[in-house]
Amino acid sequence: MAKHNFRTFILWTLALLMLPSTMWAENGSDLWLRYKGSNTAQVILSKGLKSSPTLRIAMNELNSNWTGNETITLQRTAHGGDKPESFTLTRTAQGITLASPSDAGMLYASYTLLRLQQTGQLSRLTPNNPISESPQNDVRILNHWDNPNGTVERGYAGASLWKWDAIPVKAKSGKQAKWNDTALQARIEQYARANASVGINATVLNNVNAKPLMLSADMIGKAASIADILRPYGMRVYLAVNFGSPHGLGGLDTADPLNPEVIKWWKNKVDSIYQLIPDFGGFLVKANSEGEPGPMDYGRTHVDGANMLADALAPHKGIVMWRAFVYAPGSKDRANQAYEEFMPLDGKFRDNVTIQIKNGPIDFQPREAVSPLLFSMKHTRMMPEFQITQEYTGHSIHTCYLAPMWKEFFHTLQIPAASDMANDKNDMRLIAGVANIGDDINWCGNDLAQANWYAFGRLAWNEQLTSEEIAREFLMQTFTADPQFVDPMTALLMHSRETVVSYMMPLGLHHIFAGGHHYGPEPWYAPRGSREDWLPRYYHRADSLGIGFDRTSKGSRNTQQYPEPLRSLYDNINTCPENLILWFHHASWDYLMQDGLTLWQNLCYKYETGAREAEQFVEVWQQMKPYVDSERYESMLWRFQRQARDAWWWHDACILYFQQFSQRPIPADITAPRFQLDQLMKFHIPIDNYRAPKPEQLP
Ligand code: GCW
């Protein structure tokens, strides 16, 4: 705990001691950090190792949370060829040594040691078996879609964590600012601690739909105050910037990236940021996408825009993450566009530019094919972007454990031959996740959605971990290590994403959500005058012959953007994985699938299976009652019940709607619809983009 928080800590402790014990209520705010250590460790720094704020945190965590009385020694190792954040845990007769070339590495080693203890895995660490770890990604970054006005785009866990009004502006003198709102300060420190405990080392504080205001001197001073809290936890701050800022904020009459005044404006702005935040990470940019300004507004290219910013950042070792989420209205296939726009630019970006690419080519759907661009550029640094917040997987209501989706993504990237995947910019690796964190007391709005924050960190550190081991770790640390709880709940989490796919968008269907908020089913959504590529029918293309988007060599030719063997695999309906069949093919209703049933029958059965599974989640959860505190039990119970009801809503809406096209009978053993199509078609939940719906708003 940083020194400035010591007073808060004492005050809280006194306050808690005065509370009668019955008033203690669980609220989920402790996340997976619920150590019950016995305070008996002897933690020391090896000879000559100078203490630092980071090492003080490491020592404090071990001192208060380790159970056992051995001596734990923190030790600095020579850099050698190791990554700075790598570490080794060694057990000797004298105790345990945590060694790393950096303070941050020793902090990660401390959290790893504590995790091993919490999850009963300490026996893995024996004198003959040291444990060494090195992060797979150098930059493991959260992207907050938080706006300066306190709202969070696609956030379902309350308002923004950053209470900008209450955050002090750090002065040019470099003196640490004084926080009046110490509770906020403590909360941000808890955020940093949670991230460090799973290896997340960077954060973009604000929305990619960025306001020019974010670069005002005041906001930079506030970001610097946040950076001061995050720094000892090994985290660096980045900002999303509005490309039009020289115009929108600086008062210039242009933001043309080749204009000398504009170039100078950015250079000065960057220099002023580094004065206050010497380890500032850099910029994230959404340009010429969904109405955001960009270099193309001035007849320039992504390269011109990204390189200009990169040049301003380079003297300070900052980077640009330039997003490839681009698509123009009226296109033949939205899935083709990032590739078409960026492939001709391959090799033209500066070394400190990374193209940030969503895992799939459309938009964070429950299941997407991997973005073809990620296989294709050879001379450009690229990073994947995941969405941890559940915009398309049930907001903070449905339980959908996303690690299996991310593992599926990593796995697909391994399918082409290594030589086809060679990229000469792989000396530094990065990965981003759009955060699911808000100011709700339990951080994520849903106690089990914390698992997605946790899993993002763990996988960003080590892509080889299995979804299952991550789920187990999470459950054991967050709830209880009792196998009566951990086993069934691991199974539930492991199943949950496929269940969501089944009741929402099976067989490669995508984007058939309600318009705007993306919560429920509206495969019919088509208000007059809308952009065609924002409407479900653009994606499902149901007609009397069949359903699905023909992206083959005879259709939009999207399959041709993939390397072999994926190209041929996807192009042929008979070899295309069935879970993506409607992503790549317009298949006939009577197409025979591997199980001998038709596509139409399979579609009906998928919805049926998904809805029944969601119902089983309620039962599983009810059996967990003895193992869970009543607060979290109740708060998850209504969510599971709502999820099951929503699954039937999806089931009825999609089966009845698509039957209008298929004109085929619904198999007799499918549960009879509870809703009527015309009722459902009249219904549109009156919610905005910033909140999960309330139960009473739903059918
Ligand atoms: O997922 C979509 C969302 C937008 C978002 C956009 C993006 C930040 O619906 O809310 O805007 O993608 O990723 O830029």
Side-chain angles (χ1 to χ4, degrees), residues 359-379:
N359 60 290
I362 300 289
D363 193 11
F364 298 136
Q365 299 299 293
R367 172 167 278 117
E368 290 203 26
V370 170
S371 171
L373 188 58
L374 278 161
F375 297 95
S376 306
M377 291 202 280
K378 302 293 170 216
H379 315 288

Side-chain angles (χ1 to χ4, degrees), residues 169-190:
V169 178
K170 185 170 180 174
K172 290 251 166 56
S173 67
K175 217 177 132 234
Q176 292 230 344
K178 186 172 160 6
W179 290 68
N180 293 327
D181 189 341
T182 49
L184 175 62
Q185 183 187 21
R187 183 79 170 169
I188 295 175
E189 186 169 357
Q190 285 309 307

Side-chain angles (χ1 to χ4, degrees), residues 24 35 58 63 89 212 220 255 275 300 313 428 448 464-465 475 480 494 506 515 523 554 560 564 667:
W24 179 259
Y35 309 114
N63 268 321
L89 314 181
I220 292 172
Q275 254 179 30
R300 315 296 182 191
L313 288 155
M428 172 173 135
L448 287 173
Q464 262 66 51
L465 294 174
L475 291 167
T480 162
M494 287 300 292
K554 300 198 182 64
Q560 305 308 298
E564 290 293 359

Side-chain angles (χ1 to χ4, degrees), residues 540-616:
H540 66 64
R541 307 206 166 200
D543 57 23
S544 63
L545 301 177
I547 179 170
F549 198 131
D550 183 359
R551 298 197 158 106
T552 67
S553 41
K554 300 198 182 64
S556 78
R557 300 184 57 77
N558 174 257
T559 53
Q560 305 308 298
Q561 295 183 345
Y562 288 88
E564 290 293 359
L566 295 173
R567 182 188 307 164
S568 306
L569 207 69
Y570 293 153
D571 204 52
N572 179 343
I573 192 168
N574 296 313
T575 56
C576 181
E578 288 192 340
N579 61 16
L580 285 172
I581 195 163
L582 304 181
W583 182 278
F584 286 114
H585 297 270
H586 188 74
S588 144
W589 294 114
D590 298 322
Y591 176 75
L592 278 189
M593 311 238 340
Q594 273 156 26
D595 61 5
L597 301 176
T598 66
L599 175 73
W600 167 247
Q601 289 164 329
N602 265 276
L603 194 65
C604 293
Y605 285 122
K606 281 286 180 195
Y607 280 111
E608 181 76 13
T609 311
R612 289 195 189 177
E613 285 171 359
E615 231 164 43
Q616 282 161 19

Side-chain angles (χ1 to χ4, degrees), residues 146 168 411 445 523 647 679 689 697:
D146 294 25
H411 171 76
Q679 277 173 355
N689 293 336
Q697 291 174 305

Side-chain angles (χ1 to χ4, degrees), residues 50-69:
K50 242 181 68 211
S51 188
S52 71
T54 303
L55 291 182
R56 276 196 288 278
I57 295 168
M59 293 181 80
N60 181 59
E61 291 283 17
L62 292 165
N63 268 321
S64 23
N65 301 319
W66 178 255
T67 304
N69 38 26

